[in-house]
Amino acid sequence: MNGLRGHRLGSLDEIPVGEGRTYTVDGEMVAVFRLRDGSVRAVSALCPHRGGPLADGQIDNTVVVCPMHLFVFDLATGCSLSGQPDLTSFPVGVDADRTIVIYPEVSP
Amino acid sequence: MAPRLVVIGNGMAGVRTVEEILARGGGFEITVFGDEPYGNYNRIMLSNVLAGVQDEAGIFLNDLSWYADNAITLHTGTRIARIDRFAKQVYAEDGSATAYDKLIIATGSRAFVPPIPGIHRPGRGYHQGVFAFRTLDDTRAMIRYAREHERAVVIGGGLLGLEAARGLQNHLGHVTLVHAAGHLMNAQLDAQGGAILRRSVEQLGIDIVTGAHTTEILGKHEVTGVRLKDGRVLDCDVVVVAAGIRANATVAETAGLVVERGIVVDDQMRAQDEPDIYAVGECAQHRGETYGLVAPLWEQAKVLADHLTGRDPHAAYHGSRVATKLKVAGVDVAAMGVKEAERDDDETLVFSEPRKGIYKSVVIRDGRLIGATLVGDVSKVAFLMQAFDRGLALPEDRVELMFDLGGPPAEVSAAELADDAQVCNCNGVSKATIVQTVHGGCRTVSGVMDRTRAGKGCGTCKGLVQQIVEWAAGGEAEEDPGASWYVPGVPMPKPELMHAIRTHGLRSVSSVFATLVPGGEEDAKSKMGLASLLKMMWGAEYVDERDARFINDRVHANIQRDGTFSVVPQMKGGVTTPAQLRRIAEVAERHDVPMVKLTGGQRIDLLGVPKEKLPQIWAELDMPSGYAYGKSFRTVKTCVGSDYCRFGVGDSTALGIAIEERFQGIEGPGKMKLAVTGCPRNCAEAYVKDLGVVAVDGGRWEIYVGGAAGAHVRKGDLLATVGSADEVITLTGRFLQYYRENANWLERTYAFVPRVGIEHLRAIVVDDAEGLAADLDAAMAASVAGYRDPWKERAEPVTPGQFRTSLPLVVLPQVPVR
Ligand SMILES: Cc1cc2nc3c(=O)[nH]c(=O)nc-3n(C[C@H](O)[C@H](O)[C@H](O)COP(=O)(O)OP(=O)(O)OC[C@H]3O[C@@H](n4cnc5c(N)ncnc54)[C@H](O)[C@@H]3O)c2cc1C
Ligand code: FES
């Protein structure tokens, strides 16, 4: 990941409320979701089951449902709730000028 | 350091033993080797997967995270080739060695494949088209192959063969079952019972040949038939071998363990003369018995866990009394113990009613039940099983063993059942487990079934599970609320939900969650169903929140396995023109559309279109959407009709076009596929559509509803016969509207029609017995008036990035281009 300042992905307005869009971060595909409660979440973009595009999935304030075979993942942790391998989750937020930022992993 | 426990075999017995060990506090460092590339699944459910009544995801018992959470090292897809019992190590096929302190062998069985000439291809495994039925991979391969072929022969008329035959019917047109013995299920049934079973199975459309030895599998490259000993040849392109099983004991035998039909074990499941090696499940032979059912392994797993963890050093397995049940919907068979009298003084009772397909027999020795067979009516099975298993005293009036005579049903009452009595054999759930679950706060039958898995196998124990739940809840089992909800996330059945939506004037999905769900919690899986309902109810007033739509409805195209989309333009009634064809061809060529395919609904499908190209392709096609992606009105398939067809008696094409014109794009709880056919020859397959119209003599039309010919096949019920095309359109609209308002989310007409009953539908739709017709017609007319072609939504994206790709360019499975 890129220094301490994190990755700036683009404006929050690129993502309609309640939907997701895919971004590339260091060559890695990341699905970013804008929840209806106003917060954002970021997880790896492909469903580990058969590679479904998760940004096309339906979400609520907790989970995303893969559009291909309807497997369910926790948006905050990336954990599979239906017996698949887990997704990677990324720390993500929105800064003062409404830009989506993926923060660098905090090393212990 | 904790002692190292190695388990060979990640199947039902091995993992159940591990679960029992963990339930007793564990204390081992556990490593499991499994030949199959998966977590642990319920093998018996493969029959349900083949029959299409359960999906694969539903049969998994433990997913990979369970192993991780319990610190179990799992090596999937890893076969153990050798055990060194002196060095106490096992060797995988790749040569890696793993040391153990205690070893459990739970390698199960494999299909027994008789040495029939032609069954194998030298050096290549089975002949193409030949399958065994043991693993998930077998099942997947069989389904895939069967779907593309037409005639199957199943070799073996036991439980597995019958379940395979029934399941295959789901995927291809014709199934013949070839059985060597004189009658079906000869291991469990006597000849009379077998004959009655045969008739019931034949009624399902399965051909049966008994007393038939298969002598050769025919076909050079692929199977083309089987030859029987009497010279007969049965043409087929799929062969499934279900001729029995053999224990997987070679690894044990090579290691020097005592193996007869299985690995010989003592009452602690310990291999003979081996202090540290155990065997459980189908690979074990205990007191001369090997078992081919799951019930014994639940008991074996408990004994072994008690023994290994030291919980009960005296735990001993004494063998199991097993009951077999056939998992073929509509053909109930249960059998236990001996099938007929063996000694002169054995008492037998037989009841036979062949016309109804019912046969019951019981065998009694010294006042105890030693065998029972039930065909066609298994209502007494729980009672008999209990009497058989525990050796209970039998009722004086022996006929009560077979029938409920007056008074309260003599079923085992929940209170009388012993705590440790096995209630669900398929999943090994005892009465105590169910009672604890209820006391733990789960007071609904389906909740308990989900939590414990009781009742989720063959289903025959559901009645008993329900009784126990009710009893444990003090007669206050809660109605299972969830089962009647329209969508899982809003706690209301559809009529109440619609009423509440109207009362509160809720016009958007988010307002439904906010108003009608306690706590206001959203639910992703409920959004699509709510969006459909609200759109139907409010029409133009519906507040369309795009996130409530499924991806297909966000971009008006059908997502494909590689994340691209398919584009199907409207082609009303399957009629097109040279100009249209030319335009489609040009667009496909210009955009290098990877596949162009005719659909079953008589249209042209452009497959493999990336999301970002959709608007441009629609613009260039400049044709309306064919709605091949939504839970909505899809197409009207037609035949050539009276204009050109020699047989046509009605103008099916014109009527089909008119129907499609009117109801195009209407959303509903499920897809609606229609057809109009010009004569009873039924070229447009109208009998198997959600609504199908058939022209009959005298200028009349028959309307069938509730048909299906997908994963589920059902002939529609005749709703009405009418005299004019106008009446067809009116009744079609009224029926569809009634379906839209009353069906549960994703409930297709083939389930809805039988649920509400054709008489009831006819009363409402045709006879207007409840005075609803005018409202239904008006509601449908409003929906029709609100129709807008979604493909016009292309000049400007409706939401930012509506057509932006969500895909990387390489990682996904690539669909081969033909
Ligand atoms: C289609 C079908 C329907 C059935 N229906 C019923 C039913 O209705 N009721 C009922 O009671 N029973 C039913 N059965 C039988 C039931 O599934 C078995 O009795 C049960 O699975 C036995 O469990 P097991 O652990 O002994 O064997 P399995 O479940 O077969 O597990 C053994 C595992 O060990 C693995 N293995 C084998 N050798 C090695 C090795 N050398 N190294 C690593 N791994 C190895 C195998 O790949 C397998 O995964 C059915 C079986 C089938 C196939
Ligand atoms: S006994 Fe088969 S599901 Fe319970």
Side-chain angles (χ1 to χ4, degrees), chain B residues 509-778:
Chain B
V509 171
S510 61
S511 68
V512 172
F513 287 125
T515 318
L516 301 182
V517 180
E521 198 57 43
E522 289 188 9
D523 175 49
K525 287 200 160 178
S526 302
K527 288 185 167 183
M528 192 181 172
L530 290 173
S532 161
L533 184 66
L534 292 172
K535 174 98 192 299
M536 175 194 68
M537 293 175 64
W538 297 109
E541 288 175 59
Y542 164 58
V543 179
D544 180 9
E545 293 163 341
R546 286 284 166 145
D547 62 310
R549 297 184 177 204
F550 183 61
I551 182 66
N552 286 4
D553 299 306
R554 290 183 195 165
V555 302
H556 320 300
N558 200 346
I559 191 163
Q560 305 295 308
R561 62 175 297 189
D562 61 352
T564 62
F565 290 82
S566 89
V567 171
V568 182
Q570 190 178 57
M571 206 166 266
K572 290 185 195 132
V575 177
T576 181
T577 60
Q580 254 185 0
L581 290 175
R582 199 173 298 123
R583 193 159 347 128
I584 294 173
E586 277 163 9
V587 172
E589 206 160 56
R590 207 174 306 136
H591 294 279
D592 286 330
V593 169
M595 175 144 98
V596 181
K597 162 114 187 51
L598 301 184
T599 72
Q602 300 185 333
R603 308 186 290 181
I604 295 177
D605 195 346
L606 308 180
L607 290 134
V609 178
K611 201 203 273 177
E612 56 280 18
K613 272 199 177 171
L614 289 169
Q616 196 186 347
I617 288 197
W618 298 333
E620 292 176 22
L621 284 171
D622 199 25
M623 293 167 68
S625 165
Y627 278 95
Y629 44 82
K631 301 296 171 211
S632 61
F633 182 97
R634 291 286 183 86
T635 60
V636 183
K637 186 168 181 169
T638 69
C639 65
V640 176
S642 51
D643 275 2
Y644 289 92
C645 178
R646 288 183 291 138
F647 301 106
V649 293
D651 189 350
S652 49
T653 329
L655 179 55
I657 292 174
I659 294 178
E660 186 158 349
E661 182 99 44
R662 180 156 176 88
F663 301 113
Q664 57 190 345
I666 297 288
E667 66 291 323
K671 301 183 256 211
M672 291 163 268
K673 295 184 172 178
L674 283 71
V676 183
T677 202
C679 76
R681 287 164 190 264
N682 189 28
C683 296
E685 297 159 1
Y687 296 128
V688 289
K689 295 292 177 187
D690 292 294
L691 186 145
V693 183
V694 182
V696 290
D697 262 344
R700 292 150 58 80
W701 303 92
E702 289 177 341
I703 304 176
Y704 289 84
V705 295
H712 187 100
V713 180
R714 179 176 195 272
K715 184 179 177 204
D717 299 322
L718 181 63
L719 178 71
T721 307
V722 298
S724 71
D726 283 347
E727 285 170 89
V728 170
I729 291 185
T730 310
L731 292 189
T732 298
R734 209 178 283 161
F735 168 76
L736 291 181
Q737 184 63 22
Y738 189 74
Y739 165 67
R740 297 170 80 203
E741 292 184 9
N742 293 281
N744 290 321
W745 177 235
L746 302 184
E747 182 181 30
R748 291 286 300 271
T749 63
Y750 68 73
F752 173 73
V753 170
R755 174 165 72 82
V756 299
I758 187 69
E759 287 78 25
H760 178 74
L761 281 168
R762 198 176 294 127
I764 288 179
V765 173
V766 186
D767 307 330
D768 194 16
E770 295 186 15
L772 297 175
D775 285 349
L776 292 171
D777 293 351

Side-chain angles (χ1 to χ4, degrees), chain B residues 110-245:
Chain B
R110 62 183 179 280
F112 166 65
V113 179
I116 303 170
I119 213 162
H120 292 283
R121 307 280 300 280
R124 287 224 256 144
Y126 294 131
H127 199 122
Q128 177 149 341
V130 176
F131 299 89
F133 187 20
R134 177 74 196 178
T135 63
L136 182 55
D137 283 345
D138 289 341
T139 313
R140 284 182 178 169
M142 204 189 318
I143 292 176
R144 211 177 308 128
Y145 198 83
R147 283 197 174 145
E148 287 166 8
H149 292 81
E150 273 147 30
R151 302 177 76 85
V153 163
V154 175
I155 300 178
L159 281 172
L160 197 60
L162 283 164
E163 290 177 11
R166 183 54 172 158
L168 282 167
Q169 279 191 303
N170 197 28
H171 307 288
L172 41 66
H174 198 267
V175 180
T176 306
L177 195 134
V178 175
H179 189 43
H183 63 270
L184 294 179
M185 283 183 70
N186 55 301
Q188 293 89 7
L189 303 184
D190 61 15
Q192 210 182 342
I196 290 179
L197 171 62
R198 173 182 185 139
R199 210 167 310 169
S200 307
V201 175
E202 282 172 339
Q203 271 168 15
L204 299 173
I206 296 171
D207 286 343
I208 295 171
V209 190
T210 49
H213 292 267
T214 311
T215 51
E216 192 181 352
I217 309 284
L218 306 171
K220 194 153 181 239
H221 303 292
E222 313 176 343
V223 170
T224 57
V226 301
R227 191 193 310 279
L228 305 181
K229 197 169 180 184
D230 62 10
R232 255 185 302 173
V233 168
L234 305 175
D235 290 335
C236 66
D237 40 26
V238 180
V239 171
V240 174
V241 186
I245 54 173

Side-chain angles (χ1 to χ4, degrees), chain B residues 429-440:
Chain B
V429 186
S430 65
K431 173 182 164 189
T433 309
I434 296 179
V435 171
Q436 279 160 20
T437 312
V438 174
H439 291 163

Side-chain angles (χ1 to χ4, degrees), chain B residues 7-15 33-36 40-47 78-81 106-109 133-135 139 159-160 163 245 248 251 280-283 291-297 323-327 425-426 458:
Chain B
V7 181
I8 309 179
N10 186 32
M12 299 191 68
V15 177
F33 289 91
D35 198 7
E36 296 183 70
N40 165 248
Y41 61 88
N42 191 340
R43 192 171 309 283
I44 78 177
M45 307 288 201
L46 292 177
S47 302
T78 308
R79 191 175 176 76
I80 293 299
T107 45
S109 310
F133 187 20
R134 177 74 196 178
T135 63
T139 313
L159 281 172
L160 197 60
E163 290 177 11
I245 54 173
N248 282 324
V251 175
V280 280
E282 285 186 352
C283 66
Y291 296 97
L293 293 168
V294 291
L297 68 84
T324 352
K325 292 175 200 160
L326 180 67
K327 303 193 293 300
N425 278 324
C426 293
C458 66

Side-chain angles (χ1 to χ4, degrees), chain B residues 261-279:
Chain B
R261 275 177 307 128
I263 304 167
V264 177
V265 296
D266 64 15
D267 286 358
Q268 277 75 45
M269 309 311 295
R270 190 172 21 218
Q272 202 168 312
D273 304 324
E274 290 297 327
D276 297 314
I277 304 182
Y278 301 82

